[in-house]
Amino acid sequence: MTIIEKIQRLKKEKNAVILAHYYVRPEVQEIADYIGDSFFLSKAAVGLKAQTIVFCGVSFMGESAKILNPEKTVLMPDLAADCPMAHMADAQTVKKLRDSYEDLAVVCYINSTAELKRCSDVCVTSANAVKIVKALPNKNIYFIPDKNLAHFAADQIPEKNFIFNEGYCPVHERMQLAEIKRAKEEHPQAEVLTHPECPDTVRNMSDYIGSTSGIIAYAAKSAGQEFIICTENGVRYELEKQNPGKHFYFTETEPVCQGMKLITLEKIAHVLETGENEVHVSEELRMESIKPLQNMLKLSE
Ligand code: 13P
Ligand code: SF4
């Protein structure tokens, strides 16, 4: 029996469903029941019929799925798959700022721990941050943890006063501008498609800025045939699958998210078989951290 056949058998036996982010390995994306960006996956996790969710992504994703679905069993193929940015803000600063600004809204990128979500008003993803912040009645916005997504949103909402936090995604922050320029010289017709977690120097030379799903949708719709992709290299699988005739280039130093790449078929089979690596969130933390997630789902309707 192949590893894929084993996973299919275990999925049926355990009444399980597999969710995967676009950054995981191609062979994992291939066997997933649902694949998408963070926003799609947080919506997809709600109302699933299966009793068990195997979340092929980093820990904040599995944690959000558990917060939204307390009655389900959420399994992570590797508990070490984490997003460093999810920890790059602190609750004490949130409290201090709430004391200094009367009408402060704390906007929390979904790439954050439940501890950060619990002290926030609303969550956002890269797919809906601009829409949601625009819809808030508050003028003062403390945006955690990502400074780059915060600046991307702030540039489009000049009427709001943004307070920035110093968090960043190490994968996108280290994108080399010189390498993108070199790729553009080699492929002058290529459009540059960029994730908003990239620094402004990279965003400023882009033709399109959006979430992983946004980048994939843009490439499919565009009449262009060549694209320079400024995000994690896992998106290549879906880009090439949807667009067989088009060409996708990454920088020489391909951006790789170490956490996402920890997920393997063997680990998926193992957690399905053993029930190991279940996500647990205390009821007190869950009740507090679900509010900003529910606010996001409501405001993005
Ligand atoms: P998306 O929401 O665009 O999928 O991004 C998630 C992420 O972790 C980007 O680094
Ligand atoms: Fe976190 Fe960056 Fe990995 Fe996305 S690519 S999960 S933001 S470390």
Side-chain angles (χ1 to χ4, degrees), residues 280-295:
H280 295 284
V281 179
S282 75
E283 192 52 17
E284 190 198 348
L285 177 56
R286 194 188 76 78
M287 292 300 284
E288 289 175 9
S289 51
I290 196 171
K291 286 183 202 151
L293 282 167
Q294 285 174 333
N295 284 343

Side-chain angles (χ1 to χ4, degrees), residues 23 58 60 82-85 111 169-172 197 232 257 260:
Y23 291 164
V58 288
F60 76 82
D82 196 13
C83 168
M85 177 163 66
N111 294 40
C169 160
V171 180
H172 290 84
E197 286 176 14
E232 212 270 358
C257 175
M260 293 282 188

